[in-house]
Amino acid sequence: MIPILQIEALSVGFLNSGAMNQAVDQVSLRLAPSECVGIVGESGSGKTQMFMAAMGLLAKNAVARGSVRFEGQEILAQKSALRRVRGSKLAMIFQDPLTSLTPHLKIGVQLAEVLVHHNGVSWHEARYIALRMLDQVQIPEPKRRLHEYPHELSGGMRQRVMIAMSLLCRPSLLIADEPTTALDVTVQAQIIELLRAVREEFAMGLVLISHDLAVVGGLAQRILVMYAGRIVESAPAEELFRHPRHPYTAALLKCIPSVFSAPRTRLPSLAGQPPRIGEKLDACAFAPRCPRAAERCRRERPQLQVAAAGEFACHYPEEL
Amino acid sequence: MIRYFFLRLAAAVPTLLMIVTATFFLMHAAPGGPFDQEQVLAPEIQANLQRSYGLDLPIWSQYGRYLASLRHGDFGPSFKYKDFTVTELIAQGFPVTFTLGVIAILLALGIGIPLGTLAALHHNTSLDHATMSLAVLGIAVPTFVVLPFLGLLFGVYLHWLPVAGWEARSIRHLALPVIALALPPLAYIARLTRGSMLEIMGAHFIRTAFAKGLPASTVILRHALRPALMPVASYLVPAVASIMTGSLVVESIAGLPGIGRYLVQGALNRDYTLVLGMVIIYSTLLISLGLLVDLLYAWLDPRVRR
């Protein structure tokens, strides 16, 4: 079966006054059709830039190398192939739905223009399809919303509009970059539920990017953990939560607050900072913060190795 | 929104009154009067003149009389152009100045905005640098240098256009003055548009528009241009004010029968009523334009609306 998305040795760097800062370092991954994958990492781990590169949305000073194939078709090097699928078969939604919607255009226009451009339907017909889609993402009074501006909607509703917008052309893969980060906790759960529902309904692949393992855990079948521009662990969600192999994953799991933890105990946190972008390493990037780090970790960079259920990049993994 | 509009309209009346009052007393505070000349007139003649124009009255009653005549829409007689009322003088010249100014501002917007957008989209390329260097030139070189230069080039050397003069409904006579007048605001608008366009193109909603797969032209025209025009809208009132003062220079150099010259000549001649009339006309224009710009804001950014 052709993977829906296949990333091969993708590197993304940013050219800053002559120096190249590496944000994504030789990452490879493949997504099966209608698979839901969670990407987890701290800010600066390269998780967003990896998919920005796939969508051709990198900043002007960015350089991307490697290969990205969508449904078997190269889209990183071939911009014409990307143009055919971007916004229709391959869709993306972003973190802050307020700043991600055009402030001076009515919701109806912002939705309908997608269909007018990709499917060549009339504005009238496009608005009708948009209306039905707003209804499908459970926006109350969808007819009224078409005539409203983004600032007249609540945060959760705006993200629903963003989701509706991405679904209009029935995408086969939706990339959701921190879709709940800018929202209230209760609204977060609703949006995750909505994503779960539309993924099943449209039988589409979903990439859920988040810094929050708990957000990703409820939805993703497989979770990739990124650190300093690389994938450090990849495993089925259940397996990752039960038996994390990379010490970084294990540390992240300990940081998830639980209602069952004893009151007045300090929430564990990960000491130290991730390495600065662009630092060239001949060592494990996580070694300075790692409780299990040994001498070997500081001179030899661990490669991804296949484990029973997934992959991890560590010399001294956590025991099963 | 409509309520707001009428509130603003009502607020314009006291504003105008304040401008008239300040101008009136400043004009009268300036030393000398309309009938002071190199040749000293006989005291009786001077007194007669003063009396017939009401200048012998105390300043407060002069002010009251002027306001009373304004209520009937009468700007009073000119002190210097003795056979004309101020209304007649302005009515004669206004169409010329107005045509000149309107074409100039439309030209400035119509060329400045696309030029600035183009420069922003080709940020840090030679096109960008060339446009912005020209813009600096347009802002820096004064109108009284540009217009004679254009006249020399297109009138004297190339014989394409008349150097100066005026014929009713003659575009050829308007061309050079309009270009000279439009150049500084055009350059400024191009710079403003470029700056804000650069900022907007980095906004999140532009990224969304590209992620939706929209072609670049749609992203720019539908999503980026309107918010990018906010600073240009703010500049509109000062732009028109500078065109008004610029028309004074242009009209004297090109010999156009507009009203631009009345403001300075009137002030030098202590032609009180003429200056006041001009000030009222120009302030009314600017205040109305300010109102129009407010409506423009609401269209550019719906968040401004209530």
Side-chain angles (χ1 to χ4, degrees):
Chain A
M1 192 165 29
I2 302 173
I4 185 92
L5 187 74
Q6 183 168 13
I7 295 178
E8 211 86 59
L10 176 68
S11 294
V12 178
F14 291 89
L15 208 58
N16 255 336
S17 46
M20 179 70 95
N21 293 334
Q22 207 68 21
V24 179
D25 191 6
Q26 298 273 328
V27 170
S28 301
L29 71 88
R30 39 170 54 210
L31 259 81
S34 72
E35 189 185 2
C36 179
V37 169
I39 314 282
V40 175
E42 288 165 84
S43 37
S45 61
K47 55 189 193 303
T48 298
Q49 295 309 329
M50 190 161 85
F51 291 95
M52 287 290 186
M55 289 289 290
L57 296 175
L58 288 170
K60 267 191 180 159
N61 64 337
V63 184
R65 276 192 310 271
S67 149
V68 179
R69 287 165 173 273
F70 178 72
E71 293 180 330
Q73 174 71 50
E74 172 65 43
I75 55 168
L76 186 68
Q78 290 181 29
K79 293 297 164 206
S80 58
L82 174 66
R83 243 173 276 137
R84 273 196 297 276
V85 296
R86 184 162 73 174
S88 55
K89 292 288 132 202
L90 176 61
M92 185 164 184
I93 60 173
F94 303 96
Q95 176 168 345
D96 185 355
L98 175 59
T99 57
S100 296
L101 287 164
T102 304
H104 64 269
L105 292 178
K106 288 178 178 167
I107 300 297
V109 175
Q110 302 198 45
L111 287 167
E113 68 176 348
V114 179
L115 287 158
V116 171
H117 174 65
H118 286 293
N119 297 2
V121 301
S122 70
W123 280 94
H124 184 78
E125 197 183 338
R127 289 174 67 86
Y128 177 69
I129 303 171
L131 181 72
R132 282 193 318 189
M133 190 57 79
L134 284 184
D135 196 43
Q136 203 160 359
V137 298
Q138 295 145 38
I139 285 185
E141 297 179 78
K143 207 160 198 154
R144 209 184 89 196
R145 305 298 169 208
L146 285 182
H147 298 282
E148 287 188 331
Y149 292 97
H151 71 276
E152 294 173 296
L153 271 54
S154 70
M157 211 135 49
R158 282 183 210 126
Q159 195 60 288
R160 283 175 197 271
V161 168
M162 285 294 288
I163 292 172
M165 203 150 81
S166 70
L167 296 177
L168 283 168
C169 294
R170 316 242 145 202
S172 42
L173 179 64
L174 172 63
I175 300 163
D177 181 17
E178 306 256 7
T180 60
T181 307
L183 305 173
D184 286 344
V185 184
T186 48
V187 182
Q188 278 188 15
Q190 292 168 13
I191 294 294
I192 290 293
E193 265 325 296
L194 177 66
L195 284 173
R196 182 202 305 280
V198 294
R199 190 180 85 78
E200 275 164 24
E201 214 170 305
F202 288 78
M204 62 177 184
L206 178 64
V207 173
L208 191 56
I209 303 170
S210 178
H211 64 277
D212 190 346
L213 252 180
V215 166
V216 167
L219 196 51
Q221 298 159 314
R222 186 155 61 101
I223 295 178
L224 302 178
V225 181
M226 285 190 74
Y227 190 80
R230 296 195 136 203
I231 293 175
V232 294
E233 182 160 10
S234 152
E238 236 172 275
E239 187 64 25
L240 189 101
F241 275 93
R242 206 177 305 148
H243 302 298
R245 299 304 303 277
H246 199 283
Y248 178 59
T249 317
L252 282 183
L253 283 170
K254 282 191 196 106
C255 297
I256 299 178
S258 156
V259 241
F260 303 113
S261 50
R264 289 174 202 286
T265 49
R266 242 183 120 82
L267 190 65
S269 67
L270 195 52
Q273 293 286 322
R276 282 235 324 280
I277 259 183
E279 275 176 35
K280 192 69 196 156
L281 290 165
D282 285 323
C284 174
F286 187 57
R289 305 167 79 184
C290 182
R292 302 172 71 86
E295 188 265 336
R296 184 184 171 197
C297 302
R298 295 190 189 89
R299 61 175 164 79
E300 187 189 330
R301 189 171 193 164
Q303 300 298 319
L304 267 182
Q305 49 186 289
V306 180
E311 295 172 308
F312 60 86
C314 182
H315 294 311
Y316 304 104
E318 310 265 341
E319 290 81 16
L320 276 170
Chain B
M1 195 65 216
I2 291 164
R3 206 181 97 87
Y4 169 79
F5 183 77
F6 281 104
L7 270 174
R8 280 290 307 268
L9 208 61
V13 176
T15 311
L16 209 55
L17 188 69
M18 264 169 12
I19 295 170
V20 169
T21 308
T23 313
F24 184 91
F25 287 104
L26 278 173
M27 279 300 292
H28 282 269
F35 308 116
D36 294 339
Q37 291 170 353
E38 309 256 307
Q39 278 177 298
V40 180
L41 293 170
E44 305 85 49
I45 301 177
Q46 185 88 352
N48 271 337
L49 272 171
Q50 299 265 16
R51 185 150 8 89
S52 80
Y53 283 96
L55 290 175
D56 55 337
L57 296 168
I59 184 97
W60 283 106
S61 61
Q62 282 186 47
Y63 175 62
R65 277 173 56 155
Y66 184 69
L67 284 191
S69 69
L70 269 191
R71 274 195 15 224
H72 310 289
D74 181 7
F75 287 149
S78 166
F79 287 72
K80 209 73 193 178
Y81 305 92
K82 295 214 173 59
D83 297 328
F84 297 94
T85 65
V86 170
T87 314
E88 281 167 352
L89 283 173
I90 291 178
Q92 275 173 18
F94 187 73
V96 176
T97 305
F98 190 73
T99 315
L100 197 67
V102 167
I103 300 178
I105 193 76
L106 290 181
L107 203 68
L109 289 168
I111 297 177
I113 292 170
L115 213 59
T117 308
L118 219 63
L121 297 179
H122 296 88
H123 183 42
N124 275 344
T125 62
S126 45
L127 178 78
D128 181 24
H129 297 312
T131 313
M132 284 308 111
S133 309
L134 277 176
V136 171
L137 210 68
I139 295 168
V141 181
T143 311
F144 61 79
V145 175
V146 172
L147 186 54
F149 173 75
L150 289 177
L152 194 67
L153 188 64
F154 294 106
V156 178
Y157 291 150
L158 295 171
H159 299 289
W160 289 356
L161 294 162
V163 175
W166 168 255
E167 270 171 43
R169 279 181 227 97
S170 158
I171 296 171
R172 284 166 49 81
H173 284 85
L174 270 180
L176 294 184
V178 159
I179 292 170
L181 202 52
L183 215 53
L186 188 155
Y188 203 77
I189 287 169
R191 285 184 67 89
L192 278 176
T193 310
R194 172 183 175 273
S196 67
M197 194 54 125
L198 276 177
E199 198 187 311
I200 296 289
M201 288 308 280
H204 285 168
F205 60 86
I206 296 302
R207 185 182 64 186
T208 308
F210 278 118
K212 282 153 84 173
L214 300 175
S217 55
T218 310
V219 174
I220 291 155
L221 293 177
R222 194 180 294 154
H223 291 262
L225 193 57
R226 245 157 84 181
L229 288 184
M230 289 295 272
V232 178
S234 310
Y235 172 62
L236 223 48
V237 173
V240 167
S242 87
I243 281 185
M244 281 172 178
T245 45
S247 72
L248 165 114
V249 175
V250 167
E251 282 168 17
S252 353
I253 295 177
L256 300 180
I259 54 170
R261 62 207 147 103
Y262 290 150
L263 199 58
V264 171
Q265 275 177 20
L268 293 176
N269 293 337
R270 303 286 183 273
D271 195 340
Y272 301 138
T273 45
L274 183 58
V275 170
L276 278 163
M278 287 294 295
V279 166
I280 290 171
I281 291 288
Y282 276 3
S283 329
T284 311
L285 265 174
L286 284 182
I287 290 173
S288 332
L289 190 69
L291 261 165
L292 209 73
V293 166
D294 275 356
L295 295 180
L296 196 62
Y297 277 142
W299 178 73
L300 288 175
D301 187 351
R303 282 170 296 186
V304 176
R305 290 174 215 167
R306 287 272 153 159

